[in-house]
Amino acid sequence: MPPYDPSTFPPFAVTVDLVVLTVRRHALCALVVRRGETPFQGRWALPGGFVRTDEDLGSAAARELAEETGLCAHDPAKPAAGNGAHLEQLATYGDPARDPRMRVVSVAHLALAPDLPAPRAGGDANSARWASVEDLLRPGTGREGEPATPLAFDHARILADGVERARSKIEYSSLATAFCPPEFTVGELRRVYEAVWGVVLDPRNFHRKVTGTPGFLVPSGGTTTRQGGRPAQLFRAGAATVLNPPMLRPEV
């Protein structure tokens, strides 16, 4: 057998792109950065970067997440940290023309976290912001009056895939609690579902479903008035990772 010759294969780079989702002001929002360098200088894009030679894909995604948001990827085997975020691999994108610089394959990751503060830009980005997913995926004018130009590269497709992953997974898993603080009310959890799905849910039916799903929620023993009105019971995420029965998305 002839020896393996790496030079016979064309070189290419590997990047990680992050779909970082949170709920702000009852709307599903994604983190975007304005590119400070070519290509697509001045355009909004998902945060991310090239994978270093000494790191694997998960480590690269966790590093980019920490650099862009200050969040640490949450290890399910360990207690949740105050600055932890759910991080999972989403999909791989390898269209030969997706990056004009060279052949670049991107391994996208999905990150979910509770209401996050104003982001900080890093790397080759000169500004960063939270933007409504609805505005990013629909051409036109954004809620802040800024023209909603298309995202750089193929990031609109990656964002749409990440949003659909989140919408699907909160049907049959407890992932919706990743958008909530350690202790939350049923009303706060309902607003997560409403923001992610883009629907309005009946409060009583929702309360009955989530409190009646084994292992989904665990009473924390406390109450809060942060929503106004009467004190509301506080819950924590339970041990269940799969919901049975699932929380089916309403047809719209």
Side-chain angles (χ1 to χ4, degrees):
M1 179 180 295
Y4 171 73
D5 183 5
S7 66
T8 61
F9 298 93
F12 65 91
V14 178
T15 62
V16 290
D17 287 311
L18 299 179
V19 178
V20 185
L21 301 179
T22 193
V23 175
R24 291 170 60 86
R25 303 184 189 94
H26 309 311
L28 182 63
C29 297
L31 177 64
V32 289
V33 297
R34 192 188 295 276
R35 289 189 56 78
E37 300 178 357
T38 57
F40 304 107
Q41 185 173 11
R43 291 264 291 274
W44 292 102
L46 298 176
F50 288 93
V51 178
R52 297 172 180 172
T53 57
D54 61 345
E55 63 185 357
D56 57 28
L57 295 172
S59 298
R63 172 178 56 78
E64 289 288 344
L65 180 66
E67 291 176 356
E68 298 290 352
T69 68
L71 295 170
C72 297
H74 172 54
D75 183 351
K78 298 179 181 179
N83 64 337
H86 173 87
L87 182 67
E88 66 177 64
Q89 194 172 123
L90 175 62
T92 303
Y93 302 84
D95 188 308
R98 64 177 304 274
D99 192 318
R101 293 170 293 186
M102 62 180 297
R103 180 71 191 274
V104 177
V105 174
S106 177
V107 183
H109 289 68
L110 175 65
L112 309 176
D115 185 18
L116 296 173
R120 62 176 186 269
D124 65 351
N126 58 18
S127 61
R129 69 182 177 109
W130 293 106
S132 162
V133 164
E134 180 181 358
D135 292 343
L136 292 172
L137 295 179
R138 286 185 180 180
T141 302
R143 293 182 181 178
E144 300 175 5
E146 182 176 338
T149 55
L151 294 174
F153 304 103
D154 53 356
H155 288 185
R157 176 189 172 190
I158 297 175
L159 174 61
D161 290 347
V163 170
E164 182 55 35
R165 168 75 68 84
R167 287 173 173 166
S168 297
K169 288 198 71 171
I170 65 173
E171 288 189 278
Y172 61 85
S173 77
S174 59
L175 191 61
T177 59
F179 287 103
C180 297
E183 293 187 345
F184 51 89
T185 68
V186 169
E188 290 168 337
L189 181 62
R190 173 172 51 82
R191 281 188 282 275
V192 167
Y193 275 90
E194 291 178 334
V196 175
W197 283 345
V199 299
V200 176
L201 301 173
D202 179 79
R204 291 189 177 182
N205 286 340
F206 181 83
H207 191 285
R208 175 177 52 81
K209 288 181 180 179
V210 297
T211 56
T213 300
F216 190 7
L217 303 182
V218 176
S220 69
T223 60
T224 181
T225 57
R226 60 185 176 226
Q227 296 175 332
R230 297 164 53 187
Q233 187 177 7
L234 287 169
F235 293 85
R236 294 181 288 104
T241 56
V242 177
L243 303 184
N244 186 19
M247 294 285 297
L248 296 180
R249 191 186 336 180
E251 295 184 2
V252 294

